[in-house]
Amino acid sequence: MTESFKYAGNKGKGGELHQPASDTHPTMTTAQGCPVSDDQNSLKVGTRGPGLLEDQVLREKLFHFDHERIPERVVHARGYGAHGYFETYESLEDLTSADIFQRKGEKTPVFARFSTVAGNKGSPDLARDVRGFAVKFYTQQGNWDLVGNNIPVFFIQDAMKFPDLIHSAKAEPDRGFPQAQTAHDNFWDFISLTPESMHMVMWAMSDRAIPRSLRFMEGFGVHTFKMINAQGAEKFVKFHWKPKGGVQSVVWNEALKLNGADPDFHRRDMWQAIGQGDYPEWELGVQVFDQEFADSFEFDVFDATKLIPEEQVPVKIIGRMVLDRVVDNFFAETEQVAFCTQNIVPGLDFTPDPLLQGRNFSYLDTQVKRLGGPNFTHIPVNAPKCPMRHFQQDGHMAMNNPKGRVNYEPNSWEGAEHNPRACPAHGFKSSSESMSGDKLRYRSETFADHYSQARQFYISQTDIEQAHMQNALVFELSKVEHLAIRERMVSHLLNIDQTFAKKVGKGLGLKTMPKAAEAAQKTRQDLPVSDALSMLKNPPNTFKGRKLGILLTDGADADLFADITLALKKEGANYEVVAPTVGGVTLSNDEFIPAQQVIDGGPSVLYDAVLVLVTKDGAKQLAKIPEAKDFVSDAHAHMKFIGHTAAAMPLIKAAGLIDKIDAGWLDLESTKPKSFVKQLRNLRFWQR
Ligand code: HDD
């Protein structure tokens, strides 16, 4: 294989430059291992063809290319994954016998994949959408998949409705659009006919649906699960992921522009953070409660459209996940990873939640379709990292075939090396609950309150967050062509909060307000504000992991540049230089600084804050460039902090912002670089 074969080269005058095999380039082969002499020209009769059917090298190359695609996920098609580990903070043996939670400090490998839901694989990252948050733990007792979202509740209560929900959200079937958007008639028609979705809709219309980074999102297991200890004692649990970097979102206008400026914004951000050693990190927490609490709680704990406020059952932090390795190959790992909610381990169990019960069928089923057969567990990213011994065999692409003679149970072969037996003591056991009832298709009355927690979520938000929800609904419903659907949605909002509904109605230009939707249960007005539900009430107070965009021109103040970039480094933050040309700039001390972005390619939406560090002449030149004016005016409109010096004034004036300068504009002549970076910890100047 390593021996160099004589290179035939491109014969004739039109042949392009081509590197033959050498010491540094091993010889190319076909998939069958046959050395290839020419990879650029098909086999022909004469110099101009026709081609020959016997050309096995061409046919193999095209055949494999033709089969490169596998079906994309029917939902969550666009995603980004990374490897890492989960570290257990303390033994949870009192709570669960799950092996992963037995030993303090133990690290378990994980693979996490984050995704949007509705868009296809090529859709932009900043779609207004729920984000998937799926984690595969490779535990010593098998793979445990926690397949959650960045929102703690779901649109529907029963898996039976899932295909309808997804059909309505995806592109409309006759026209094939809109892509990765819920702002269309079908979605809001379905939603407005599905009152159980109202709580989730409130979350989806909040800025949670446009996260700043996959690193700055919470994650939730959504359903109630069970933990069972070695003595068989059971508790209910809900899983929470809390990002160490805090929760942060963009604003809607920024999202719209980001989708154009960098459709890969989220995946690039994750790739860069891991590459720079700024490893994304989350803590895993559980809300633990018993049957007594479940019986006394206002809602059914098996209803996935409800959450349990953290003020009522606090989140106990039990470990952390660190993502420290990007994939080697996107297809092999991120695309082929197969999450299944049915993958749990001894010490955990399901509950009767009808959404979860349906999911347990759907995920396994979909992997067979996507990955082509039952042996997807042989693909390295899906294979458990603990021993596997069973009698499953054969099938498409079987790679880890069992050895030996025995392939059935029961068998009487003694002590055969590859002859496993089930183990009642340590094997997975379902919790022993006694159940009985008639066979029914029925929705429990305990699932009937659709508005109370939607209201609780709304009243728990700050004014700014409430305004963003209102704007989001007006935006989405304004894309709906049918007035009746818009009105029907507003009729539901009336059951959530009258003022909110009226504001949305006004934003939609409704001539008269509709009547409130008929409700199976009246909205409770007594649920208290839950501060944990608001992002802005829980700010991260750090600029770590964030990015400053520095607009630089030739001759800019070298000392200031050095001081600010040093202060950013100390904060654990990054910066990018945006310059008139990607060739870079020369500072006042003749130091050359390379640019990462040219002005047209590096709009301020890519950054958490911006700094205009220019000479007066530079600012005058920039004042003539529309994209440079957008750089500052967008940063201003998106409530970002803007650092500047007096020299930047010609640009600020040209952008029409001279009389809009407020306390979010930080003058670097009077603000020390350290205090500038300290201010950036507020992330946005919301007062604007
Ligand atoms: Fe689902 C994928 C999360 C309800 C059926 N789902 C999928 C992924 C996530 C979720 C994160 C992507 C996994 C990955 O990265 O590969 N899904 C959820 C959550 C739900 C939920 C949090 C509600 C609590 N899902 C749900 C229902 C059904 C499905 C009710 C069907 C009855 N989901 C699927 C699926 C997918 C999927 C069709 C598509 C690709 C895949 O499974 O692997 O089976």
Side-chain angles (χ1 to χ4, degrees):
M1 275 274 281
T2 49
E3 192 190 337
S4 291
F5 286 82
K6 197 162 181 295
Y7 175 62
N10 290 295
K11 302 217 176 76
K13 286 184 188 155
E16 64 262 40
L17 258 181
H18 206 75
Q19 288 289 324
S22 65
D23 288 347
T24 43
H25 296 279
T27 300
M28 179 185 281
T29 71
T30 64
Q32 301 294 341
C34 172
V36 172
S37 62
D38 180 349
D39 176 51
Q40 302 291 298
N41 295 293
S42 58
L43 190 65
K44 304 176 191 75
V45 180
T47 53
R48 296 171 59 226
L52 289 173
L53 186 60
E54 83 172 56
D55 187 350
Q56 86 281 18
V57 183
L58 169 76
R59 279 188 291 110
E60 190 203 72
K61 190 172 177 182
L62 293 185
F63 144 78
H64 202 277
F65 172 75
D66 293 344
H67 293 268
E68 275 180 9
R69 290 288 171 271
I70 61 172
E72 68 171 36
R73 288 167 175 83
V74 60
V75 275
H76 297 265
R78 183 166 178 85
Y80 208 61
H83 296 272
Y85 60 86
F86 175 78
E87 183 180 346
T88 304
Y89 279 165
E90 57 185 288
S91 170
L92 294 183
E93 59 181 338
D94 286 354
L95 202 55
T96 173
S97 60
D99 187 72
I100 181 175
F101 295 125
Q102 299 309 296
R103 294 161 296 276
K104 177 184 163 131
E106 186 167 287
K107 290 183 178 166
T108 301
V110 299
F111 186 80
R113 183 176 180 274
F114 308 94
S115 45
T116 51
V117 180
N120 69 21
K121 256 175 68 173
S123 55
D125 278 350
L126 263 292
R128 171 178 292 285
D129 201 352
V130 180
R131 297 298 184 286
F133 194 126
V135 181
K136 191 181 280 292
F137 300 81
Y138 303 94
T139 90
Q140 285 310 300
Q141 292 214 324
N143 287 354
W144 169 35
D145 293 355
L146 185 56
V147 196
N149 280 338
N150 74 330
I151 290 179
V153 289
F154 201 61
F155 289 107
I156 49 169
Q157 297 170 321
D158 191 314
M160 190 79 165
K161 291 171 78 95
F162 190 69
D164 301 296
L165 166 72
I166 300 306
H167 286 176
S168 80
K170 290 236 170 197
E172 300 194 3
D174 54 350
R175 59 208 69 185
F177 60 83
Q179 174 58 232
Q181 288 184 52
T182 50
H184 59 112
D185 285 59
N186 277 8
F187 179 72
W188 289 104
D189 187 31
F190 174 83
I191 290 295
S192 61
L193 294 169
T194 310
E196 72 204 60
S197 66
M198 288 308 142
H199 186 194
M200 174 83 161
V201 164
M202 298 300 275
W203 284 81
M205 293 299 111
S206 79
D207 291 347
R208 300 261 179 173
I210 39 173
R212 153 66 176 83
S213 161
L214 303 171
R215 300 176 289 138
F216 304 147
M217 320 189 294
E218 288 182 299
F220 302 91
V222 181
H223 310 283
T224 296
F225 291 89
K226 276 183 189 171
M227 278 188 166
I228 309 168
N229 70 14
Q231 291 72 45
E234 295 177 6
K235 284 271 162 60
F236 291 122
V237 289
K238 277 186 175 280
F239 292 102
H240 295 245
W241 290 108
K242 304 260 182 200
K244 275 287 197 64
V247 187
Q248 186 189 343
S249 284
V250 299
V251 296
W252 178 235
N253 182 265
E254 205 180 356
L256 289 177
K257 291 177 175 165
L258 265 171
N259 280 337
D262 185 3
D264 303 310
F265 186 69
H266 280 157
R267 55 176 62 186
R268 193 187 307 280
D269 169 87
M270 177 75 83
W271 170 269
Q272 284 179 346
I274 297 177
Q276 288 163 356
D278 182 11
Y279 300 138
E281 194 173 326
W282 289 261
E283 285 189 310
L284 180 66
V286 277
Q287 285 179 297
V288 184
F289 55 96
D290 55 16
Q291 188 64 52
E292 200 183 331
F293 172 86
D295 294 340
S296 68
F297 184 55
E298 291 95 337
F299 307 99
D300 197 322
V301 298
F302 300 149
D303 171 358
T305 66
K306 306 297 185 304
L307 54 79
I308 302 177
E310 292 184 29
E311 289 80 359
Q312 243 166 309
V313 178
V315 175
K316 176 186 161 71
I317 299 297
I318 60 175
R320 66 173 184 144
M321 171 170 77
V322 179
L323 299 181
D324 59 0
R325 185 159 62 87
V326 294
V327 296
D328 290 328
N329 182 284
F330 182 85
F331 178 82
E333 294 151 79
T334 308
E335 201 53 21
Q336 293 199 114
V337 66
F339 292 96
C340 296
T341 55
Q342 63 162 21
N343 291 351
I344 56 169
V345 291
L348 301 179
D349 206 356
F350 311 114
T351 56
D353 175 342
L355 198 70
L356 178 58
Q357 297 276 322
R359 291 180 77 192
N360 285 348
F361 162 74
S362 188
Y363 288 72
L364 181 62
D365 188 43
T366 210
Q367 309 311 350
V368 175
K369 168 82 181 170
R370 252 176 16 91
L371 299 167
N375 289 318
F376 64 85
T377 51
H378 298 197
I379 299 171
V381 72
N382 295 322
K385 297 190 194 297
C386 62
M388 285 165 285
R389 303 179 202 90
H390 51 74
F391 293 129
Q392 294 165 21
Q393 65 172 32
D394 303 351
H396 284 295
M397 312 289 169
M399 272 165 277
N400 303 331
N401 299 307
K403 292 188 179 143
R405 184 177 190 177
V406 191
N407 61 353
Y408 58 92
E409 256 279 86
N411 69 65
S412 62
W413 296 96
E414 281 302 325
E417 197 192 341
H418 305 287
N419 189 2
R421 295 273 195 272
C423 173
H426 298 113
F428 177 85
K429 276 202 286 277
S430 297
S431 69
S432 56
E433 232 176 306
S434 75
M435 294 191 184
S436 66
D438 298 334
K439 254 199 241 174
L440 295 171
R441 293 190 186 278
Y442 195 71
R443 191 73 59 87
S444 166
E445 284 80 11
T446 55
F447 283 33
D449 181 341
H450 302 319
Y451 300 106
S452 300
Q453 281 206 341
R455 175 180 172 77
Q456 184 176 34
F457 179 73
Y458 179 72
I459 61 170
S460 301
Q461 308 301 306
T462 60
D463 292 349
I464 296 160
E465 290 168 305
Q466 289 184 346
H468 287 185
M469 291 165 72
Q470 177 196 319
N471 295 343
L473 271 159
V474 170
F475 174 90
E476 295 264 321
L477 293 172
S478 297
K479 301 276 179 188
V480 168
E481 290 165 14
H482 287 76
L483 177 63
I485 299 175
R486 287 184 229 145
E487 287 178 339
R488 209 188 298 139
M489 252 327 285
V490 175
S491 74
H492 289 292
L493 301 182
L494 281 165
N495 287 338
I496 296 172
D497 185 274
Q498 300 260 343
T499 319
F500 181 54
K502 281 182 197 148
K503 283 183 181 166
V504 174
K506 193 167 170 225
L508 291 171
L510 293 188
K511 300 264 178 303
T512 50
M513 281 296 277
K515 279 210 285 224
E518 271 183 39
Q521 271 186 25
K522 272 187 89 174
T523 313
R524 297 178 66 133
Q525 305 292 318
D526 60 337
L527 298 185
V529 163
S530 164
D531 287 339
L533 299 179
S534 156
M535 288 193 288
L536 294 189
K537 289 181 192 169
N538 301 284
N541 289 326
T542 178
F543 201 63
K544 184 176 183 303
R546 274 76 178 175
K547 217 187 248 178
L548 180 72
I550 308 181
L551 184 54
L552 271 189
T553 57
D554 280 335
D557 186 334
D559 291 341
L560 205 46
F561 181 78
D563 290 348
I564 286 185
T565 48
L566 182 67
L568 286 171
K569 196 171 171 198
K570 284 190 181 153
E571 181 77 0
N574 297 306
Y575 67 91
E576 266 186 10
V577 168
V578 183
T581 72
V582 80
V585 295
T586 306
L587 297 181
S588 55
N589 63 352
D590 286 342
E591 187 189 351
F592 171 73
I593 302 289
Q596 282 76 46
Q597 303 283 357
V598 63
I599 291 168
D600 196 10
S604 61
V605 289
L606 298 179
Y607 309 110
D608 295 282
V610 299
L611 168 62
V612 185
L613 197 52
V614 294
T615 57
K616 204 162 182 184
D617 277 351
K620 281 184 186 160
Q621 291 306 315
L622 291 177
K624 296 179 199 152
I625 305 174
E627 291 80 9
K629 290 189 272 182
D630 287 351
F631 188 89
V632 277
S633 58
D634 269 355
H636 180 82
H638 299 147
M639 275 79 68
K640 288 178 183 166
F641 287 97
I642 304 170
H644 64 101
T645 60
M649 283 307 159
L651 174 63
I652 297 170
K653 205 168 164 190
L657 295 166
I658 204 82
D659 53 356
K660 301 222 168 98
I661 291 182
D662 54 32
W665 287 73
L666 303 166
D667 182 348
L668 269 302
E669 267 131 358
S670 52
T671 315
K672 293 235 153 43
K674 245 170 98 179
S675 349
F676 172 63
V677 173
K678 214 168 150 192
Q679 275 289 336
L680 301 187
R681 291 180 188 164
N682 295 314
L683 301 180
R684 279 184 212 259
F685 185 68
W686 288 116
Q687 297 89 315
R688 192 175 290 153

